[in-house]
Amino acid sequence: MTSRAFAAAMVALFAAVALLFSAMPETMAQQVTPTASSVQEDELLRALQTGENVSGRVSIPDRQAGELIKPDNKGWADLSQGTLQTFAVGILVVALIGLALFYFIRGRIALEGGFSGRSILRFGWFERLAHWMLASTFIVLALTGLNLVIGRAVILPIVGENAFGTLSSWGKIAHNYLAWPFMISLAIVFVLWIVHNIPGRIDLEWIKQGGGFMKKGVHPPAKKFNAGQKIVFWCVVLGGAAMSYTGVMLLFPHLAGTGADWQFYQVVHAVVAGLLSAVILGHIYIGTLGMEGAFDAMGKGEVDENWAEQHHSLWAREVKSAAVSPAKSDEAIAPAE
Ligand code: HEM
């Protein structure tokens, strides 16, 4: 081939390639240069400083995952890492200090007259099973949730990065899965005990007398649950329902709506968790250290007759009168073991 023919062939080849590229569809051209339309690092850094929105394209159903930087989120991040953190720790510390003060000032609420040796059935096995399922799942959920809020600041420096990483990843799994037995037991407890938790006139008297908690020898009458317990019941039912609803929204963000809605659910979840945990600390105190003879109700299912008379006089009378009637023998007074 002469040099002139070679040059003509090269020109023809370049012309053909140029023609081919100009005819290529836009999508194919993008495939050839995959990074051409992606967000560059300097763009991200600039957006962080100037507060611009940066978003890209995703092929998964959750389109919001394409939003890389949203300046509005900064306010939410500050709220959840700052204010909410302080709130959660603050309310638990206040509750613990309050209970400690109550214990040192009032002391344990004693069983006046001592144990009679005769016991009364208070909760059947199914009620206790539901209560302990609710209690154990709540406690694990509260601790693993608290770890998300303050674990990095409090636990990480103590146990180190590796242990904290393992603990937190197991904690996250436990939190996500135990939410379901928590919701089931919450629904069961609601159905079992709602009938005993309808507020009545007698509850006002109990509240007026502070439940008799502050003065020895004062015992306002109460049915199966007194006003204080009714308050605990409704806090657990309504607070638990709010935790459940917002928790499901957090687990499945595409159900939550916009990113702002998801953030709203996260704030409600954290605030209700703090308030409910404080109430439950008070409940656990009364059920264990705070009141002599109370734990037996959920431990053995039976309480001493004197305890029933002292704290739930109307209920005790009801059970005793049913015991003398043979038709209602299922709630009979049983001799102590
Ligand atoms: C170690 C933890 C706990 C202990 C020792 C405990 C103990 C008790 C006891 C003794 C009772 C029966 C009181 C009575 O006979 O009048 C009771 C009732 C109840 N518990 Fe718990 N409990 C614990 C945790 C929880 C948790 C975490 C929840 C809910 C999230 C819960 C919800 C309830 C409810 C709704 C009642 C009925 C209303 C009331 O008595 O206040 N408990 N508990």
Side-chain angles (χ1 to χ4, degrees):
M1 191 185 280
T2 64
S3 59
R4 198 173 285 182
F6 178 74
M10 290 312 287
V11 170
L13 186 66
F14 276 119
V17 170
L19 200 67
L20 195 67
F21 268 93
S22 67
M24 195 183 265
E26 199 191 342
T27 48
M28 275 182 80
Q30 277 173 353
Q31 279 169 14
V32 175
T33 54
T35 55
S37 61
S38 66
V39 181
Q40 303 299 313
E41 200 177 338
D42 56 341
E43 203 182 327
L44 286 173
L45 286 171
R46 201 182 51 244
L48 268 178
Q49 283 154 5
T50 57
E52 292 166 36
N53 268 328
V54 178
S55 55
R57 278 176 288 112
V58 288
S59 55
I60 57 172
D62 185 7
R63 295 283 160 210
Q64 289 174 51
E67 288 173 357
L68 287 176
I69 294 186
K70 283 196 88 187
D72 297 350
N73 289 354
K74 185 128 187 11
W76 165 76
D78 291 344
L79 177 71
S80 77
Q81 291 303 309
T83 317
L84 286 183
Q85 215 170 21
T86 316
F87 171 79
V89 178
I91 193 154
L92 294 180
V93 170
V94 167
L96 286 172
I97 293 176
L99 289 173
L101 282 176
F102 184 69
Y103 179 72
F104 286 116
I105 294 168
R106 168 66 170 91
R108 192 170 204 213
I109 299 168
L111 185 55
E112 286 160 20
F115 288 86
S116 69
R118 291 180 302 277
S119 54
I120 297 182
L121 179 69
R122 183 141 172 87
F123 296 113
W125 69 268
F126 188 66
E127 286 173 295
R128 280 180 286 142
L129 179 75
H131 172 270
W132 287 121
M133 188 165 144
L134 181 71
S136 53
T137 51
F138 180 87
I139 290 168
V140 178
L141 288 168
L143 292 177
T144 51
L146 192 64
N147 181 46
L148 288 178
V149 183
I150 58 163
R152 185 175 279 273
V154 177
I155 298 174
L156 189 142
I158 301 170
V159 299
E161 279 182 1
N162 281 346
F164 180 69
T166 312
L167 187 82
S168 300
S169 53
W170 280 107
K172 183 182 176 293
I173 293 170
H175 200 89
N176 290 354
Y177 285 96
L178 287 180
W180 304 99
F182 169 78
M183 288 189 257
I184 293 169
S185 47
L186 181 69
I188 297 175
V189 159
F190 172 70
V191 172
L192 285 176
W193 291 340
I194 184 170
V195 64
H196 301 297
N197 283 287
I198 311 291
R201 195 167 291 183
I202 195 167
D203 298 318
L204 287 179
E205 193 49 39
W206 191 93
I207 290 171
K208 253 190 233 163
Q209 298 193 30
F213 282 9
M214 293 316 289
K215 269 195 211 151
K216 288 182 184 157
V218 177
H219 303 297
K223 292 188 177 175
K224 177 143 184 168
F225 288 136
N226 59 41
Q229 290 176 301
K230 289 181 184 178
I231 292 171
V232 170
F233 175 84
W234 286 110
C235 284
V236 167
V237 165
L238 299 177
M243 296 296 300
S244 305
Y245 182 77
T246 52
V248 170
M249 293 299 132
L250 297 180
L251 269 179
F252 305 106
H254 61 280
L255 296 179
T258 66
D261 293 334
W262 188 91
Q263 288 164 5
F264 170 75
Y265 290 130
Q266 194 265 343
V267 172
V268 174
H269 198 75
V271 170
V272 177
L275 293 170
L276 190 54
S277 300
V279 171
I280 291 301
L281 279 179
H283 170 74
I284 293 175
Y285 168 78
I286 288 290
T288 53
L289 192 63
M291 181 186 279
E292 191 176 10
F295 186 81
D296 287 346
M298 272 305 161
K300 296 192 291 185
E302 291 172 354
V303 288
D304 191 85
E305 208 181 295
N306 281 355
W307 184 92
E309 282 288 352
Q310 186 171 319
H311 299 294
H312 301 272
S313 53
L314 301 176
W315 171 76
R317 240 162 273 166
E318 227 172 75
V319 175
K320 279 195 216 164
S321 62
V324 280
S325 139
K328 293 183 181 175
S329 57
D330 56 334
E331 284 204 332
I333 301 174
E337 286 161 20

